[in-house]
Amino acid sequence: VAVIVPRKSRSASADLAYTQEKLGRRDIVNVYDGSGTINAADSYTVKSLVTGTVLTADFELGDTIQKGDVLYVIDSSDVEGDLESAQLSVSQAQRSYDDAADARNVRTKIGGEVSSFAVAAGDAVQAGQTVATVRDTSVMLLAVDFPAAEAQSFAVGQAAQVMPDTTFEVLNGTIRSVSGADPSGDASLMTCTVTIAVPNAGSLTTAQAAVAQVNGVSSLNSAHFTYQREETVVAAASGTVSELCVKEGSTVRQDDVILRITGKDLDKQAQNAADNLRSAELRMSSAERNISHYTIDAPISGTIVDKKVKAGDKLSANDTAMQNLCTIYDMSYLEMKLNVDELKIRSLEVGQEVEITADAVPGETYKGVISSILVAGTTANGSTSYPVTVRIDDMGELLPGMNATAKITTASVKNVLALPNAALVRGSYVLVTKDSPSAANADPDMTAPEGYVYVPVKTGVSDDDYTQIISGVTGNDTVAYDPSSVSTDDYYDDGSSVMIF
């Protein structure tokens, strides 16, 4: 660092006690020294966010635990009802949302054939309006009368023969029901209505009539076929038909969507239901998070170094000290924090080796490595320092909390031409005798004492005492300097002085 200090003029030829010597070769090592405190790789003070009685705390001081291990279980009986209530609210809101969202869909309650639509896409419909007809034509029903005396012996599921009056073919069917006879009356004067189910291959229609026979007994009349099931589909809500989902004549299953309706009221209803569902879900999530706080897991792996709360203790909201349950140190490695001055920080880099000593462990030297250098510095009194972290894997007897010293070799050279730091003037000049070989390179603008000249030099690595000379002077030159101090006063033509440190 060169500091120009104005001062009273002094003759450059003043009689100074210079030491003259030839430049020699030596090893130079530049070392950064810093101090700091040893810390665990990570530490965590486990806190409680809830109050209640501690049910379990199955660990002891000094135990090694793994991340995720259960440390404490706190009685949560007071809040379990809140979670159950929130879960019920979500279930109810979900059903309401499903109903609101499905209100747009018009479904059939039976399976069968869509025989007709009463509306088209784009039509406006009102709630309760007929929109389609669905018929189950796979089985046709024939309800005919039989003499009660014979029909009373008929049974559901019994075989029957059906003869359509247009084809006179014989179709097989089964009795579906027998009704109409009064057991207390005169059976000879009564009739029973027998309903027969006949599988339909596609040829039977309601326009056809038929007679039937059971166990050789013929029906007293003929009757027209009816559909096994028929539904008049109505709209459950008002709106506009947005699409027909199937075509007339298509076969559908029970609960299939046959058309959709849109409308502002339907959209509003669905949005309100969605909002209610989301609100219920948020309340349930909050309840779940709250109850999860009653089981406290280890946030990191490490060693228990402090345990303040045990099973049976009561955590109170008014006792903040009881909220700090225990402390965990991750001792898988140690760290040392250094605050490095801005003038030195650029000489350090991640990965550099560090020698560490601690007064608490005399005679031992430990190896570390720079693991991080943060660019966010701290400025105080006009100077900025930067946080540097040193990682120590071989910990030996080092413990968290110990004060330690770190030495970091920032640069080193071997067997190089070097001169004393006191011989450097303005950081880049050397005073040599006029008969030195390098005197020919003297700076004519620099006024030197009689018998000497100032020669510009290029410097390299330096330590507390010596600086490497890369070029400018050689080992055959004789340099001169004031040995009384590393700081020397040299003078410009204007009488100011420069102090070289």
Side-chain angles (χ1 to χ4, degrees), residues 17 34 120 175 265 396 501:
I175 295 176
D265 289 342
F501 297 90

Side-chain angles (χ1 to χ4, degrees), residues 191-411:
T191 61
C192 289
T193 300
V194 178
T195 301
I196 301 170
V198 182
N200 184 12
S203 61
L204 300 180
T205 68
T206 57
Q208 292 177 294
V211 295
Q213 190 178 78
V214 179
N215 282 345
V217 180
S218 296
S219 62
L220 299 175
N221 64 322
S222 66
H224 283 274
F225 287 104
T226 60
Y227 298 111
Q228 174 178 236
R229 288 179 295 179
E230 183 176 19
E231 178 191 5
T232 299
V233 184
V234 298
S238 300
T240 301
V241 178
S242 60
E243 64 173 318
L244 301 180
C245 301
V246 296
K247 295 180 180 179
E248 286 189 359
S250 299
T251 299
V252 294
R253 296 170 298 181
Q254 183 179 353
D255 287 332
D256 277 357
V257 177
I258 60 173
L259 62 86
R260 290 190 173 89
I261 298 174
T262 59
K264 291 183 178 180
D265 289 342
L266 287 171
D267 293 342
K268 183 178 180 180
Q269 180 181 351
Q271 185 60 53
N272 289 339
D275 292 344
N276 291 336
L277 175 59
R278 181 56 181 159
S279 178
E281 289 174 338
L282 291 174
R283 289 194 297 271
M284 185 179 71
S285 295
S286 177
E288 288 174 339
R289 285 194 302 271
N290 187 38
I291 204 166
S292 71
H293 295 153
Y294 287 80
T295 299
I296 301 176
D297 299 335
I300 63 173
S301 298
T303 302
I304 302 294
V305 297
D306 187 22
K307 180 180 180 181
K308 295 184 180 297
V309 174
K310 63 184 183 303
D313 288 345
K314 295 183 182 297
L315 303 180
S316 170
N318 298 324
D319 188 355
T320 57
M322 289 294 287
Q323 303 301 306
N324 296 330
L325 308 181
C326 66
T327 302
I328 305 169
Y329 276 2
D330 177 3
M331 297 289 289
S332 56
Y333 61 91
L334 296 177
E335 287 186 339
M336 181 179 180
K337 302 292 186 180
L338 302 173
N339 290 314
V340 181
D341 185 86
E342 60 185 292
L343 299 178
K344 297 287 187 178
I345 193 65
R346 291 193 176 277
S347 64
L348 304 183
E349 61 184 22
V350 173
Q352 279 181 313
E353 290 188 356
V354 182
E355 288 188 356
I356 298 165
T357 57
D359 291 341
V361 191
E364 296 292 334
T365 299
Y366 300 93
K367 298 294 184 181
V369 63
I370 295 178
S371 58
S372 70
I373 300 175
L374 300 185
V375 298
T378 301
T379 301
N381 300 322
S383 177
T384 301
S385 60
Y386 295 87
V388 175
T389 301
V390 177
R391 173 170 172 151
I392 310 165
D393 288 302
D394 186 9
M395 300 173 286
E397 298 182 43
L398 291 176
L399 294 174
M402 288 183 176
N403 296 314
T405 299
K407 291 187 176 183
I408 306 170
T409 299
T410 59

